Amino acid sequence: MTPQDGDFPPAQLLHDQILHEGRAAPRKQARIASFADRYHEWREHASLTLSGLDLAPDLARDIGSRRWLRGVATLVGLSAVALSGWPGFSPVEAAPAMQIDEDARDEFRSQMIMPLALGGDSGRRMGATLAVIPLANAPERPRIEMVATLTPGDGFDRMLRRAGVSEVEAERIAGMVGQAMPLEDIAPGTQVDITLGRRLADGQPRPLDALSFRARFDLQIAVERRNGELFLDPRPILVDTTPLRIRGDVGSSLYRSARAAGAPAKSVQQFLRVLSNELDLDREISSTDTFDLIVDYKRAATGEVEAGDVLYAAIYRNGEPRRRMMRWGREGRYYEASGVGEERQGLMAPVPGAITSRYGMRRHPILGIRRMHAGLDFRASHGTPIYAVTDGRVNFAGRNGSYGNYVKLDHAGNLATGYAHMSRIAVNRGQQVRRGQVIGYVGSTGLSTGPHLHYEMYRGGQKVDPASVRFVTRAQLEGRELEEFRAQLASLQRVEPGAALVDLAPDPDASEEPVREIDRLENRQKVR
């Protein structure tokens, strides 16, 4: 018979095969069962068995029954097991007592706190007892050495009186020092070494034994007492004024190259400012160019050095000068080698901040009405310095209504600038100011919502948009002044690079005197 699609006959198994499969299956399952499974089965079986024993029934029910008695037996058994672990009452053994000698006892007493009523005899320094006899007078040191500092606006005699010098002696010493140099020329911050001697009588000030200070870079002044009399001893210091000239390749950074060549940081910054008015330092100077820098430089025989202003700044390319600038005149303006003054294109920013409001009509932030904003507002924090945008003269400096603290500068070409809302004014009316000079500090005085600078510009007395005006300042030397300028330029050109760095010969007139240890440690060369 042929099976049809999907129609299959049932499977035919022998009797032996059926028995074999039936016996093998349980053995295979037993081998496969794990220890965890067997433990779980044993735990369930034990739990069921113990729950059937009912060893801990409720003792509040069926009192006196067999079930209740079985629960009491369980309670007694567990209590007996707990009492078997009860600790004993034998004494606890401790460390043996330490043997304390007299030194150890005194050490312990020094760390005790004893009441004053019992004499306060605790601590390393015990309170005085009746066995202590007070002295009639405490002995004083025979000499006192100190350092006094001359503060701004202070007088030399007042400084001495604060140090303990008598009024009569302070005035006398100030008069003696005034014979060597004007007292007003002594710079604030000058430190004066003072030595006071033994008092002549109780209640009197100590007499001055010695006084010494650096009055100027080239002058040391000393006052000494000899045989009861004060003598002035001015000690001139040998000073070499050879300018410091440094030349080198621009390299990857003009600032870093000049610093690596030994130029002081302040001088390099001034050098860059001078050249930035004449050249674009990012585009017009290459790494192969040569910089030439001459700085006003002083060296004292005592080892100190002092760097001043930049006297000469130049950039060379292939041996030919691209720009040469020299400082000239009382105003310290820089001129080209031809005698033409530095060119200053446009106005410098009065503060290093972004413009937040420009010239034109706007809604006033405080009054809430539309009105003309006749200036520029610069964002700046409180106390930021405000700079003059160019040379000029102070026309007004003071309080000015809604402007608050206000400064107005008059410039060439019938132009003027105004600076409002200052926190503090740094110039006076009638004063001449230079481009970049600090004239005040940012504030929020007057009608202002917060710290900022309101900057205005006037042409012929009328307010104009400050962004529309550019200044060009240039000067030309002529006649005798031009000849002197060229002679000074030729003199600077003869200065050899590094000549000011040669060791200076010691001053033969300088006397060797002992100094304090702190002076020896701090006696380093400083560039100020």
Side-chain angles (χ1 to χ4, degrees):
M1 179 178 179
T2 302
Q4 299 178 357
D5 295 340
D7 187 9
F8 296 95
Q12 299 294 326
L13 298 177
L14 299 177
H15 186 267
D16 294 340
Q17 293 176 332
I18 296 174
L19 292 177
H20 177 74
E21 293 293 332
R23 296 190 198 99
R27 295 194 193 98
K28 187 175 182 180
Q29 292 178 355
R31 287 195 300 270
I32 294 176
S34 64
F35 175 79
D37 295 336
R38 293 197 301 271
Y39 172 76
H40 181 69
E41 293 177 0
W42 174 84
R43 182 180 178 184
E44 288 183 351
H45 178 73
S47 177
L48 292 174
T49 302
L50 292 177
S51 62
L53 297 177
D54 194 16
L55 297 177
D58 187 0
L59 296 181
R61 299 177 60 183
D62 301 333
I63 299 175
S65 63
R66 295 180 62 181
R67 183 171 179 273
W68 182 84
L69 292 175
R70 186 168 59 252
V72 171
T74 302
L75 175 63
V76 172
L78 294 176
S79 300
V81 172
L83 292 174
S84 64
W86 190 270
F89 294 95
S90 60
V92 178
E93 296 183 0
M98 181 176 61
Q99 298 295 330
I100 300 178
D101 55 8
E102 291 295 328
D103 294 338
R105 183 183 66 83
D106 292 340
E107 182 65 23
F108 282 129
R109 283 181 58 84
S110 69
Q111 302 180 33
M112 295 170 58
I113 300 177
M114 298 290 289
L116 295 176
L118 301 181
D121 56 346
S122 61
R124 294 187 179 276
R125 295 176 176 81
M126 299 183 182
T129 63
L130 297 177
V132 177
I133 302 176
L135 297 176
N137 293 314
E140 290 186 340
R141 288 186 294 172
R143 301 179 65 185
I144 296 179
E145 295 182 355
M146 66 183 69
V147 178
T149 303
L150 183 65
T151 59
D154 197 4
F156 196 83
D157 56 339
R158 290 196 299 270
M159 177 200 64
L160 294 177
R161 289 199 298 269
R162 286 198 309 271
V165 181
S166 65
E167 182 176 357
V168 176
E169 201 165 67
E171 293 180 355
R172 182 182 177 188
I173 295 173
M176 297 172 64
V177 174
Q179 298 175 7
M181 66 172 298
L183 295 179
E184 57 271 14
D185 290 348
I186 302 177
T190 299
Q191 293 187 340
V192 183
D193 292 328
I194 298 176
T195 302
L196 300 179
R198 189 188 298 274
R199 302 178 193 272
L200 301 179
D202 294 339
Q204 292 186 359
R206 290 175 175 267
L208 184 135
D209 281 355
L211 175 148
S212 177
F213 68 99
R214 188 71 168 265
R216 289 195 309 262
F217 190 75
D218 60 347
L219 179 62
Q220 179 86 12
I221 292 181
V223 177
E224 298 179 353
R225 186 179 297 275
R226 304 170 190 168
N227 300 326
E229 294 292 334
L230 292 174
F231 292 91
L232 178 67
D233 185 13
R235 303 168 184 172
I237 300 174
L238 181 63
V239 174
D240 179 73
T241 58
T242 302
L244 174 63
R245 186 173 191 177
I246 297 176
R247 301 189 66 177
D249 295 333
V250 172
S252 59
S253 170
L254 177 55
Y255 178 84
R256 293 181 180 177
S257 299
R259 291 286 290 132
K266 179 180 178 182
S267 301
V268 178
Q269 293 170 0
Q270 187 178 4
F271 175 77
L272 295 177
R273 284 197 300 268
V274 172
L275 291 180
S276 63
N277 292 324
E278 303 294 324
L279 298 172
D280 187 339
L281 299 182
D282 295 328
R283 298 181 180 180
E284 299 186 53
I285 297 180
S286 65
S287 60
T288 57
D289 290 346
T290 302
F291 67 88
D292 194 357
L293 168 66
I294 300 180
V295 182
D296 186 15
Y297 201 68
K298 296 179 181 179
R299 297 182 298 157
T302 52
E304 296 84 2
V305 297
E306 184 178 70
D309 294 316
V310 172
L311 302 178
Y312 177 80
I315 292 292
Y316 293 85
R317 176 170 294 176
N318 298 326
E320 297 295 329
R322 293 209 58 203
R323 191 72 68 187
R324 295 192 298 167
M325 307 296 296
M326 192 185 81
R327 184 182 178 92
W328 179 258
R330 295 182 179 179
E331 296 181 355
R333 175 172 294 189
Y334 288 88
Y335 291 80
E336 295 179 359
S338 61
V340 178
E342 58 183 333
E343 182 176 288
R344 301 172 181 178
Q345 294 286 352
L347 304 176
M348 68 174 295
V351 293
I355 298 177
T356 58
S357 182
R358 295 188 175 274
Y359 183 91
M361 295 296 295
R362 70 167 187 177
R363 186 180 184 84
H364 196 278
I366 297 179
L367 302 178
I369 60 176
R370 286 186 61 81
R371 57 184 287 182
M372 186 65 180
H373 182 242
L376 301 176
D377 286 347
F378 288 85
R379 180 189 296 114
S381 58
H382 189 278
T384 301
I386 302 173
Y387 305 99
V389 295
T390 191
D391 299 345
R393 183 181 63 85
V394 180
N395 177 278
F396 180 88
R399 195 80 178 184
N400 187 11
S402 62
Y403 284 146
N405 292 331
Y406 176 77
V407 171
K408 185 176 182 181
L409 304 180
D410 289 338
H411 309 286
N414 204 22
L415 293 174
T417 54
Y419 312 79
H421 307 309
M422 293 184 178
S423 62
R424 183 162 60 91
I425 297 174
V427 292
N428 299 316
R429 183 175 182 180
Q431 179 180 344
Q432 292 289 337
V433 297
R434 298 183 56 201
R435 173 188 171 100
Q437 180 176 338
V438 176
I439 60 175
Y441 300 89
V442 171
S444 185
T445 56
L447 199 61
S448 171
T449 58
H452 73 285
L453 171 65
H454 176 76
Y455 169 65
E456 293 183 345
M457 179 165 287
Y458 308 83
R459 177 186 282 120
Q462 301 297 321
K463 296 180 180 179
V464 296
D465 186 359
S468 65
V469 179
R470 292 172 62 95
F471 285 358
V472 176
T473 302
R474 204 168 182 87
Q476 175 70 51
L477 298 178
E478 298 177 351
R480 182 175 181 82
E481 190 175 15
L482 179 58
E483 294 179 1
E484 295 177 353
F485 171 83
R486 291 175 175 172
Q488 177 68 21
L489 178 61
S491 176
L492 289 178
Q493 293 297 309
R494 290 192 292 268
V495 177
E496 293 294 332
L501 301 179
V502 179
D503 293 337
L504 186 64
D507 187 358
D509 297 333
S511 58
E512 296 291 337
E513 295 183 357
V515 296
R516 299 171 300 174
E517 182 66 22
I518 189 172
D519 292 332
R520 289 195 292 269
L521 293 176
E522 295 183 352
N523 187 18
R524 300 185 298 268
Q525 290 190 358
K526 300 179 181 179
V527 177
R528 295 174 293 177

